[in-house]
Amino acid sequence: MRATSLTVGSAALAAALLLTACAGGGDGDGDDGGQDTSACVLDEVGVEVGPANAAPLAGDTGNIPVTVTNQGAECTLDGFPTVGLQADATSATVTEDEAAQAQKLTLAEGTAATFTITYVRGEAGAGGSLDATRVKIGLPGDSATRGFAWSYGPVALGAGGVPDASVGAFQQAGD
C-alpha cells in the first residue's frame, strides 16, 4: 500500500513540475521572458506615417506619429527608430529625443508600436531650413529604410545644419 501511495505522489510531483515548466515566464509588459526573438525588419512590418499635427507656420512645432504593425512572426523593437529627411540631393539624420528612453518591445503578429517625429517648421527656401520632400524610416537592428513623402513643410536647421527635429522612442500601440 505504501508503494502505491509513493508512486502516485511521484507522478503528482512530476506533473506539477511539468506544468510549472510550461507556464509562461513573461509578465505581460512586452518583455520576451529571456527568449530570443528576432529583430523586426521592414520587410515584415507595415508602416503608416500620420495623420500629423503639422506645424502651420515657421517657428511652430509639429508632431508626426508613425505606426509600425508587425505582419510576420513575433519580433522585437530594441532601441530607437532611425529617421532621415531628404531635400533634393541633401539628406540629414533626425536625432533621438534626449528626454526619451528606449524600451524593448515584443510585437506579436498583428500588433503595433508607435513613435513620434517632432520638428520645428522652417521658412521655405531660407538658408536655415531644409525643404524636406521625403522622410526615410528604419528599425533598430535592420539596415533597410523605407521612404515616404514629407508634406509637412520645411524643417528648421539648428547648429551645424542639424534639423531642429527629434525622434521619440517606440511605445506599444493599443491596449
Side-chain angles (χ1 to χ4, degrees), residues 83-171:
V83 174
L85 296 172
Q86 268 190 300
D88 298 324
T90 303
S91 62
T93 301
V94 176
T95 59
E96 298 169 0
D97 182 347
E98 293 177 5
Q101 184 172 354
Q103 59 180 327
K104 184 175 182 177
L105 297 178
T106 300
L107 298 180
E109 183 175 3
T111 61
T114 63
F115 67 90
T116 301
I117 302 167
T118 301
Y119 74 103
V120 174
R121 185 168 181 142
E123 291 186 45
S129 296
L130 178 67
D131 291 327
T133 57
R134 305 226 9 110
V135 59
K136 288 191 175 184
I137 295 172
L139 302 178
D142 185 11
S143 60
T145 60
R146 192 177 299 166
F148 299 89
W150 178 269
S151 59
Y152 312 111
V155 177
L157 296 174
V162 176
D164 191 354
S166 63
V167 59
F170 286 105
Q171 302 293 320

